[in-house]
Amino acid sequence: IYWADGFVFVYSITDYESFRVLRPLHQHIRRIHPNANIPLLLMANKGDLLRARQVSSKEGLQLATELGGTYSEVSARENCEGVHEAFQQLCQELSRSSSSCNGEKRRGLHLVRPKSPNMQDLKRRLKQALTSKGK
């Protein structure tokens, strides 16, 4: 959450609770990034289970508009193309927002992304730990 360039909120149309938690999650992100314009994709999954629907498309679209994001209703089970298109749309938004920054970092983000662990260093430390136990 601290260093993300974009967010994907996924909920199940068959589980109202998964939808309900999105607004507080967005509020948490807004507290961390009060002035940032971070792209958001709201993705309603399980579009193939219409008989079990608990969240209407209208509610999903309304929340996406309220949060300033885009809305997609998909079925990851039946059509992965919809998922792919939604992520592609988010990536295009990310590309537009990063090109508008002219190579500068977004303001307001004070935390550096964590570095990936060095695998060689991890192996060395693991060997040291194993050999010290044997002694």
Side-chain angles (χ1 to χ4, degrees):
I1 290 177
Y2 289 99
W3 50 264
D5 293 325
F7 293 97
V8 179
F9 287 2
V10 182
Y11 70 93
S12 169
I13 67 166
T14 65
D15 178 13
Y16 196 82
E17 183 63 21
S18 69
F19 177 77
R20 192 189 65 75
V21 300
L22 298 178
R23 194 172 278 115
L25 178 60
H26 185 261
Q27 290 169 351
H28 178 69
I29 291 169
R30 279 284 155 234
R31 281 192 296 275
I32 295 169
H33 306 285
N35 301 318
N37 186 18
I38 300 173
L40 169 74
L41 167 62
L42 182 63
M43 190 178 295
N45 192 26
K46 300 194 179 185
D48 57 309
L49 300 177
L50 297 176
R51 290 184 183 192
R53 182 185 284 274
Q54 293 180 7
V55 183
S56 71
S57 298
K58 183 179 176 182
E59 288 175 291
L61 191 55
Q62 185 177 2
L63 181 62
T65 302
E66 178 185 321
L67 302 182
T70 57
Y71 175 75
S72 290
E73 191 163 306
V74 299
S75 169
R77 178 178 176 230
E78 288 190 351
N79 182 4
C80 65
E81 285 300 313
V83 176
H84 181 263
E85 289 172 14
F87 274 99
Q88 194 130 25
Q89 183 180 0
L90 179 65
C91 289
Q92 288 171 351
E93 273 189 64
L94 287 168
S95 179
R96 278 193 295 273
S97 68
S98 68
S99 66
S100 67
C101 291
N102 296 325
E104 295 178 21
K105 293 277 186 189
R106 275 193 318 268
R107 293 182 185 162
L109 299 181
H110 304 291
L111 300 173
V112 178
R113 290 184 182 198
K115 291 185 178 180
S116 298
N118 181 332
M119 290 307 291
Q120 295 298 325
D121 186 46
L122 288 174
K123 286 179 187 177
R124 181 184 53 76
R125 289 175 25 204
L126 179 61
K127 277 185 180 179
Q128 284 177 343
L130 292 175
T131 57
S132 67
K133 285 184 178 182
K135 291 182 180 179

